Amino acid sequence: MFVDSHCHLDRVDLTPYQGDFDAMLMQAREEGVQHMLCVCIDLEHYEAMCQRVSDYPDISVSLGVHPNEQGGQEPSVDELVRLGADPAVVAIGETGLDYHYNDGDLGWQRQRFEAHIEAARRLAKPLIIHTRDAREDTIALMRAAGAEQAGGVMHCFTETWDMAKQALDLGFYISFSGILTFKNADALREVAQSVPLERLLIETDSPYLAPVPYRGKKNEPRFVSHVATRIATLRGLSVETLAEITTENFFRLFRAARPAE
């Protein structure tokens, strides 16, 4: 059984299911997905996101504002702590630094990242960190702000082994998405072979980054099995063993309610 440790269920394309959210979830469950973490990217849609998934015990939620989100409500530490104190919230983020689509003075991104780290520390909840084209600044800020006190995961990891090692040294987990299955991802697959099994997670980042053989199509949680299969092959493990390991890692990190036995 799999856990999709990072997806945006309020943004998944329901067209193949005639708009039926339950049908999409049922398909994921039938293909072995036993739990999903629905990740927040802005405060404007946070309440609606929570309402969308509140009736499903196999879906957890996070709270945060993505580093690429601009023009909406800027999260203060106090607001993140207030909203994040809800027991339904298992993590703070996604947050981090993304210099790929932004230029100029990005001090606002760093301040936002610091606010999330401080809120996670106060709440004793793990961070979900997004990083792109900002390796040195991401690690430096994590160290300076005490991110290791909260812990968390480097989600949809696409960076180098050197960065992964630094994040691991801070106590973080590393999560891989469908990018790992792409033809040109040899370097990333080498990283996936090196991450300690007890710090490994899998995700879809639905509705983005669908794995091979669905690349170019809309992603959804049921496709997480393709990420698991590729990592299992790389590590010389059965898919069942890889699923068991990553599931255990998820519930250890996020302390989410486990499914009934």
Side-chain angles (χ1 to χ4, degrees):
M1 301 293 283
F2 308 104
V3 172
D4 185 353
S5 69
H6 190 114
C7 52
H8 304 281
L9 294 174
D10 53 330
R11 290 169 165 78
V12 169
D13 182 11
L14 297 177
T15 303
Y17 302 98
Q18 292 73 52
D20 190 334
F21 186 71
D22 285 328
M24 182 271 293
L25 293 180
M26 182 63 67
Q27 185 66 52
R29 292 170 184 140
E30 288 179 355
E31 298 192 27
V33 181
Q34 67 169 329
H35 201 93
M36 292 153 270
L37 174 49
C38 185
V39 176
C40 175
I41 65 167
D42 63 42
L43 296 182
E44 287 70 31
H45 297 93
Y46 171 68
E47 183 176 350
M49 182 196 81
C50 290
Q51 290 177 349
R52 169 83 277 189
V53 303
S54 62
D55 292 334
Y56 305 94
D58 55 349
I59 302 175
S60 301
V61 299
S62 75
L63 167 72
V65 179
H66 193 286
N68 284 334
E69 290 296 310
Q70 298 185 60
Q73 181 182 345
E74 190 63 29
S76 68
V77 175
D78 288 344
E79 183 72 353
L80 289 169
V81 170
R82 183 183 71 81
L83 293 172
D86 184 338
V89 175
V90 301
I92 301 301
E94 64 186 280
T95 182
L97 300 177
D98 191 322
Y99 295 169
H100 185 75
Y101 293 112
N102 300 279
D103 54 23
D105 182 6
L106 296 179
W108 61 271
Q109 268 200 13
R110 292 184 281 275
Q111 291 173 1
R112 181 185 292 177
F113 191 15
E114 289 172 345
H116 283 77
I117 294 173
E118 177 61 23
R121 290 174 57 196
R122 291 189 192 180
L123 292 165
K125 292 186 178 184
L127 288 152
I128 300 171
I129 295 182
H130 168 109
T131 181
R132 189 173 185 188
D133 294 346
R135 296 173 188 167
E136 293 183 3
D137 283 2
T138 299
I139 293 294
L141 198 152
M142 289 170 65
R143 288 173 175 156
E148 74 279 2
Q149 296 176 34
V153 59
M154 311 300 286
H155 112 88
C156 191
F157 195 78
T158 57
E159 303 294 344
T160 63
W161 168 245
D162 180 66
M163 185 180 190
K165 180 65 166 58
Q166 292 181 75
L168 289 164
D169 288 344
L170 290 172
F172 276 71
Y173 290 62
I174 308 293
S175 181
F176 295 96
S177 70
I179 293 175
L180 190 80
T181 70
F182 294 178
K183 183 177 180 180
N184 62 350
D186 288 340
L188 186 61
R189 285 188 280 272
E190 290 182 7
V191 177
Q193 288 179 288
S194 300
V195 171
L197 288 173
E198 67 272 15
R199 298 283 194 85
L200 187 64
L201 292 175
I202 55 175
E203 64 174 272
T204 61
D205 203 10
S206 304
Y208 318 107
L209 305 172
V212 174
Y214 302 99
R215 187 176 183 183
K217 299 180 180 180
K218 296 293 186 181
N219 204 359
E220 55 184 281
R222 69 187 179 96
F223 295 156
V224 76
S225 62
H226 295 276
V227 181
T229 298
R230 194 57 185 268
I231 296 177
T233 299
L234 290 170
R235 304 296 297 246
L237 301 171
S238 68
V239 176
E240 293 76 13
T241 298
L242 192 283
E244 181 179 350
I245 289 170
T246 52
T247 295
E248 180 63 30
N249 291 347
F250 175 87
F251 287 109
R252 183 191 318 118
L253 174 61
F254 292 108
R255 301 186 291 279
R258 289 177 177 269
E261 296 295 338

